[in-house]
Amino acid sequence: MARLRFSKMHGIGNDFVMIDQRTNPTDLTPERCRLLADRRLGVGCDQIIGIYAAKHSNAVVAYRIWNADGSQAGQCGNGARCVAAWVQREAPGKVGQVMHLESPKGVHRAQCMADGQVQISMGVPEFTPRNIPMVGFADMQDSYALALPGFPEIHFGAVSMGNPHAVVEVDDVAGMQIEPLARAVQTDIHFPDSVNVGFAQVISRDEVQLRVYERGAGETLACGSGACAAAVVLMEHGRVARSVTVRLPGGDLQIEWPQHGQSVLMTGPTAFVFEGEFDFEGQGL
Ligand SMILES: N[C@H](CCC[C@H](N)C(=O)O)C(=O)O
């Protein structure tokens, strides 16, 4: 196999290996994803984003998402912004152009703004437990109680943004050791497909501090779908306004959810880091 050409990008520190599967089709096995994501033996990234020809007529491209552990995901908010920026760079149209991107879970409106910010329409949040998926809780509730061995009972909100999220409101997100609790939630039987776990501290009605321990990647500097998940769960609880700045360790995202039944809008920056080639054969893959 010829060497794999890729672009390295990030969305406020959530970093990606971007592969154009139309020009260099690559079989992204779990082993290859883990090697690509390895920060010593590979390129290093939180997720791999494969770009494909779109099936939906109004979408300019389709994208698929692999976590660093080789598992696939249904959505990646920071990755979607990078796909839009990648398309804009590959085929520079008028700045501010609107395009549509096809994710595994649907088609999303994207707009690259003149100031470099990218807005993605992330879709309508899904709170029905079985559609998250989450089992063992009868119906849609404001919040759910989960008792985990070795941890005090937690109350959390749960939502799908095309991928599963549990959101725990905390008092001091910066001072927390989030990994042990997050891993306990991820392996709990209530989440058959595991789950991304967000820890959110409300700073004001229009400001939230958030850290996310992601499914398949661990704690990342930012999680776009996690920022949407935290914002809509807190909005449902009346804790924040319908437009909120979510401050993650890697930077800020603006999340708006005008009303129930409408799509969540996420706006934030992207960055190109470098282009490269990767030699799987040289490492036996
Ligand atoms: N770990 C996530 C996928 C990446 C999401 C995140 N990087 C984002 O920006 O939304 C999952 O398995 O559902």
Side-chain angles (χ1 to χ4, degrees):
M1 185 197 96
R3 291 189 173 180
L4 168 68
R5 290 187 311 283
F6 66 88
S7 300
K8 184 77 193 307
M9 296 183 71
H10 73 81
I12 50 174
N14 182 199
D15 64 339
F16 310 107
V17 168
M18 313 284 289
I19 297 169
D20 189 343
Q21 291 278 32
R22 302 167 302 179
T23 52
N24 55 166
T26 308
D27 180 12
L28 288 171
T29 61
E31 296 76 20
R32 283 183 164 181
C33 290
R34 287 193 286 269
L35 177 58
L36 269 175
D38 189 302
R39 297 191 184 281
R40 286 192 172 80
L41 305 179
V43 178
C45 62
D46 295 324
Q47 280 88 33
I48 293 108
I49 305 285
I51 293 165
Y52 299 83
K55 295 189 180 69
H56 286 262
S57 57
N58 67 335
V60 61
V61 293
Y63 62 95
R64 289 170 58 190
I65 306 119
W66 286 262
N67 286 309
D69 71 351
S71 61
Q72 289 203 60
Q75 184 54 283
C76 179
N78 288 319
R81 291 202 318 281
C82 288
V83 171
W86 187 90
V87 168
Q88 169 93 43
R89 187 172 189 255
E90 294 293 311
K94 49 193 178 306
V95 175
Q97 70 173 359
V98 173
M99 63 183 87
H100 288 82
L101 308 175
E102 182 185 316
S103 79
K105 295 295 177 76
V107 177
H108 305 268
R109 180 186 182 277
Q111 184 169 17
C112 297
M113 317 286 199
D115 63 0
Q117 299 282 304
V118 180
Q119 184 181 80
I120 303 288
S121 178
M122 289 288 286
V124 179
E126 170 60 75
F127 290 97
T128 305
R130 68 176 176 280
N131 297 336
I132 293 176
M134 185 172 74
V135 298
F137 294 100
D139 56 9
M140 279 169 62
Q141 299 164 17
D142 265 355
S143 69
Y144 305 93
L146 189 60
L148 296 162
F151 296 93
E153 180 177 270
I154 60 167
H155 290 260
F156 66 96
V159 65
S160 173
M161 291 304 305
N163 58 345
H165 290 270
V167 179
V168 183
E169 186 175 352
V170 296
D171 296 328
D172 174 18
V173 70
M176 286 184 70
Q177 290 291 325
I178 66 171
E179 179 168 357
L181 178 54
R183 291 170 71 94
V185 173
Q186 289 182 328
T187 53
D188 183 79
I189 57 168
H190 292 91
F191 295 101
D193 296 349
S194 184
V195 66
N196 301 284
V197 188
F199 298 88
Q201 179 179 343
V202 176
I203 307 300
S204 70
R205 295 256 331 138
D206 53 14
E207 190 179 345
V208 173
Q209 205 167 337
L210 178 69
R211 291 169 63 191
V212 182
Y213 194 88
E214 286 197 32
R215 174 179 67 170
E219 182 171 8
T220 55
L221 288 176
C223 179
S225 57
C228 295
V232 300
V233 163
L234 292 169
M235 287 171 192
E236 283 293 277
H237 293 176
R239 302 280 293 125
V240 295
R242 306 296 299 196
S243 176
V244 63
T245 299
V246 179
R247 301 199 186 287
L248 296 123
D252 297 348
L253 293 173
Q254 197 60 33
I255 310 296
E256 301 162 74
W257 187 32
Q259 61 182 354
H260 254 258
Q262 288 192 355
S263 177
V264 179
L265 298 175
M266 170 196 63
T267 305
T270 65
F272 275 89
V273 184
F274 62 87
E275 313 280 348
E277 282 191 348
F278 190 78
D279 179 6
F280 282 120
E281 282 176 351
Q283 299 207 51
L285 283 181

